[in-house]
């Protein structure tokens, strides 16, 4: 897989657009999801994804090997930060509007096959919405690390490569981001029942 | 029924987070596992954090709204990796040539400053902006208006010349009254110092062109028929200068061409 990716990258560097398109097809889902979770709206995520691939295509000659995925995610991350900075300068979209857009854009959850009851389905849906809301409310650096680790499944060292932070900073941001989300779930009483801690449970 | 929320310090929080991801070393892992067995509050905090991480990982990925592939017919291929090709070589050479021109120009200015006031005063007859055009008024009197070349005749033709003549005729007294004209003439001389060396070869090349009737009519009776080119501008220096100018132009052209391609 890695050798095939390397072959595609090398061919694309020589100007083969079809090889680059193969790379786009390989990563467009992940890049779009990264942008979507960072920005919280579908249109902004689509634009940022397009910008990311365009920037990658134009700068392919400066890619000097290593992980193409990390390099591409770094470009996508920068594209998202550009959008977020522009929003701060001209806050046409408030945080509430962003959260509402995120909920509106969210994919409808399917009822699980394994006999999930309507109550369980409703709870799962509520939990997903709470997580999405919570992600948008996280500080950007924590949000990025949580997305890269828990949604994209990257290892710590690759997250460090994408974000340009050291391992210690990655661990710190990740634990803080997760703790904030945990607090949000706690407040909404959305943690699974067995994890809710009542006074009587304390030994 | 009061809810007791397990509170952790940052260090323990980070340990639990890394433990969930299996990122602890063997010693740290053994230590946190021992504490989790002994400390119920820590265990509850771990359970909560793990449930949060699980909820995150259960989020369903979204499907992109469209394909982000490029149309090969529309997209220009990316530029190949940077290499030392002719274009880049010309760009580098252009920079060095520009430095060379500046150095020779500076030397020429210094040389003309040291040559004395009469040469400085003569310099305004060569306009600084267009060296090749500037050669025409300098050479024309010598080539086609030989009878007017004497200095004492200068004021008479100036009176009957077209409008352009009056401007240049105004410079003529500078030759006669050097003390007053010097302060005014000095900046012009400095500005003209760079193109001045090019005026010398232009004399031989441009002679047929400037003998045309149209050109002759416009040419004022320049009071300095002798070439004002500084002595420092020898043929070898001029050759170097001309080559350097060509290299600068070529380097600049390549740079502009590359820029326009990358902008596409």
């Amino acid at each position: 897989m890695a050798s095939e990716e390397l072959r595609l990258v090398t061919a694309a560097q020589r100007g083969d657009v079809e090889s680059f398109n193969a790379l786009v097809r390989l990563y467009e889902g992940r890049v779009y999801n990264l942008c979507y979770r960072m920005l919280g709206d579908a249109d902004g995520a689509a634009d940022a994804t397009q910008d990311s691939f365009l920037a990658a295509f134009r700068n392919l000659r400066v890619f000097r090997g290593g992980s193409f995925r990390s390099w591409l995610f770094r470009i996508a991350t920068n594209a998202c930060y550009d959008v977020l900075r522009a929003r701060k300068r001209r806050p046409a979209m408030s945080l509430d509007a962003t959260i509402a857009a995120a909920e509106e854009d969210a994919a409808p959850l399917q009822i699980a096959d394994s006999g999930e009851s309507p109550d369980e389905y409703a709870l799962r849906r509520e939990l997903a919405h709470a997580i999405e809301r919570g992600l948008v409310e996280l500080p950007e650096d924590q949000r990025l690390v949580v997305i890269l680790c828990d949604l994209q499944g990257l290892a710590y060292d690759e997250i460090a490569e994408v974000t340009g932070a050291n391992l210690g900073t990655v661990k710190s941001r990740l634990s803080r981001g997760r703790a904030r989300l945990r607090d949000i779930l706690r407040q909404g009483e959305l943690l699974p029942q067995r994890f809710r801690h009542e006074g009587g449970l304390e030994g | 029924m009061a809810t007791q929320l397990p509170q952790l310090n940052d260090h323990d929080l980070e340990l639990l987070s890394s433990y969930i991801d299996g990122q602890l070393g063997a010693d740290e892992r053994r230590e946190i596992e021992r504490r989790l067995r002994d400390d119920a509050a820590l265990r509850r905090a771990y359970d909560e954090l793990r449930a949060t991480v699980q909820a995150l990982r259960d989020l369903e990925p979204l499907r992109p709204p469209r394909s982000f592939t490029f149309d090969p017919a529309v997209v220009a291929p990316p530029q190949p990796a940077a290499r030392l090709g002719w274009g880049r070589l010309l760009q580098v050479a252009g920079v060095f040539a520009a430095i060379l021109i500046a150095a020779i120009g500076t030397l020429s200015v210094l040389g003309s400053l040291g040559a004395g006031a009469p040469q400085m005063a003569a310099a305004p007859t060569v306009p600084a902006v267009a060296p090749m055009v500037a050669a025409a008024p300098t050479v024309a009197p010598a080539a086609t208006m030989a009878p007017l070349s004497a200095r004492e005749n200068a004021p008479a033709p100036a009176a009957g010349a077209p409008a352009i003549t009056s401007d240049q005729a105004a410079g003529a007294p500078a030759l006669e009254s050097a003390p007053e004209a010097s302060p005014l003439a000095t900046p012009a001389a400095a500005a003209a110092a760079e193109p001045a060396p090019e005026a010398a070869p232009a004399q031989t090349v441009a002679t047929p062109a400037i003998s045309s009737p149209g050109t002759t009519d416009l040419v004022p009776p320049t009071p300095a028929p002798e070439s004002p080119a500084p002595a420092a501008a020898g043929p070898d220096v001029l050759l170097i200068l001309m080559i350097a100018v060509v290299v600068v132009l070529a380097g600049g052209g390549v740079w502009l061409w590359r820029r326009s391609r990358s902008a596409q």
Side-chain angles (χ1 to χ4, degrees):
Chain A
M1 184 63 189
S3 63
E4 170 65 6
E5 185 176 295
L6 185 64
R7 188 191 67 75
L8 291 171
V9 170
T10 307
Q13 282 179 319
R14 284 199 295 263
D16 183 2
V17 180
E18 277 307 338
S19 292
F20 187 78
N21 278 341
L23 291 167
V24 172
R25 280 188 286 272
L26 202 59
Y27 285 112
E28 61 187 356
R30 300 189 70 166
V31 171
Y32 175 76
N33 272 273
L34 167 60
C35 294
Y36 179 85
R37 297 301 179 196
M38 277 301 288
L39 301 175
D41 77 290
D43 290 342
D47 290 347
T49 304
Q50 187 74 63
D51 290 348
S52 302
F53 283 118
L54 198 59
F57 185 68
R58 283 180 174 161
N59 294 291
L60 207 53
R61 63 193 172 90
V62 301
F63 175 66
R64 295 274 183 258
S67 167
F68 177 75
R69 180 175 71 176
S70 302
W71 183 74
L72 182 60
F73 277 15
R74 184 161 195 159
I75 290 174
T77 300
N78 289 336
C80 290
Y81 276 130
D82 285 347
V83 173
L84 291 169
R85 267 195 298 270
R87 283 182 186 172
K88 278 177 192 163
R89 281 198 301 270
R90 198 168 37 133
M93 186 179 254
S94 68
L95 181 62
D96 288 342
T98 305
I99 292 169
E103 288 179 350
E104 198 174 294
D105 293 333
L109 289 175
Q110 304 296 319
I111 292 182
D113 292 337
S114 55
E116 186 180 39
S117 70
D119 283 350
E120 287 169 335
Y121 168 74
L123 182 65
R124 195 160 60 90
R125 187 179 171 84
E126 200 178 346
L127 183 64
H129 283 167
I131 287 282
E132 286 173 346
R133 263 199 318 272
L135 272 175
V136 174
E137 290 176 27
L138 284 183
E140 288 161 12
D141 54 355
Q142 294 178 15
R143 190 189 320 162
L144 175 62
V145 173
V146 168
I147 290 168
L148 290 175
C149 184
D150 291 330
L151 274 64
Q152 298 281 348
L154 268 58
Y156 285 6
D157 54 353
E158 192 171 0
I159 296 173
E161 198 180 334
V162 171
T163 58
N166 61 42
L167 268 182
T169 305
V170 168
K171 289 179 184 174
S172 170
R173 287 176 182 171
L174 182 60
S175 61
R176 285 164 187 261
R178 284 171 168 174
R180 279 196 186 216
L181 286 171
R182 176 204 59 195
D183 293 343
I184 290 170
L185 297 186
R186 250 188 207 160
Q187 286 164 9
E189 298 191 342
L190 289 167
L191 286 171
Q193 188 69 41
R194 65 183 182 280
F195 297 139
R196 293 184 208 160
H197 302 293
E198 309 298 334
L201 293 175
E202 192 69 36
Chain B
M1 206 169 349
T3 300
Q4 289 196 342
L5 301 176
Q7 293 301 325
L8 294 174
N9 60 47
D10 285 348
H11 178 67
D12 281 349
L13 186 66
E14 207 173 299
L15 275 177
L16 288 182
S17 179
S18 297
Y19 179 63
I20 289 169
D21 294 327
Q23 294 287 327
L24 291 183
D27 290 346
E28 278 183 318
R29 194 181 68 243
R30 270 194 296 274
E31 174 62 18
I32 197 73
E33 285 174 348
R34 184 194 62 76
R35 287 180 61 194
L36 283 171
R37 276 194 304 272
D38 298 344
D39 187 341
L42 187 71
R43 193 165 59 247
R44 282 194 295 273
Y46 165 70
D47 287 343
E48 278 194 346
L49 203 60
R50 195 159 55 89
T52 304
V53 171
Q54 193 57 52
L56 275 163
R57 291 176 181 171
D58 285 346
L59 268 187
E60 293 184 22
L62 295 120
R63 183 177 295 177
R66 62 174 190 267
S67 169
F68 295 98
T69 52
F70 298 133
D71 181 356
V74 174
V75 177
Q79 293 179 7
R83 61 182 189 275
L84 197 63
W86 281 107
R88 192 164 293 276
L89 205 62
L90 267 176
Q91 286 180 20
V92 175
V95 172
F96 282 108
I99 294 170
L100 187 68
I101 290 174
I104 292 177
T106 307
L107 285 175
S108 300
V109 170
L110 290 176
S112 63
L113 282 177
Q119 281 192 0
M120 287 167 53
T125 58
V126 182
V129 183
M132 294 302 286
V133 177
T138 311
V139 180
T144 63
M145 303 172 73
L148 299 175
S149 62
R151 289 185 186 192
E152 52 270 25
N153 290 340
I164 189 171
T165 310
S166 62
D167 290 337
Q168 300 212 352
L175 283 173
E176 323 288 343
S177 55
E180 287 125 76
S182 287
L184 292 172
T186 304
E194 195 172 323
E198 290 185 40
Q203 281 184 348
T204 53
V205 176
T207 303
I210 58 175
S211 61
S212 65
T215 310
T216 314
D217 290 343
L218 287 172
V219 168
T222 307
E226 292 82 13
S227 171
D236 50 342
V237 175
L238 291 172
L239 189 64
I240 292 171
L241 260 182
M242 289 183 76
I243 292 172
V245 167
V246 169
V247 171
V248 166
L249 290 175
V254 168
W255 179 76
L256 284 173
W257 177 70
R258 280 176 174 237
R259 210 173 69 146
S260 68
R261 278 201 57 183
S262 65
Q264 288 172 357

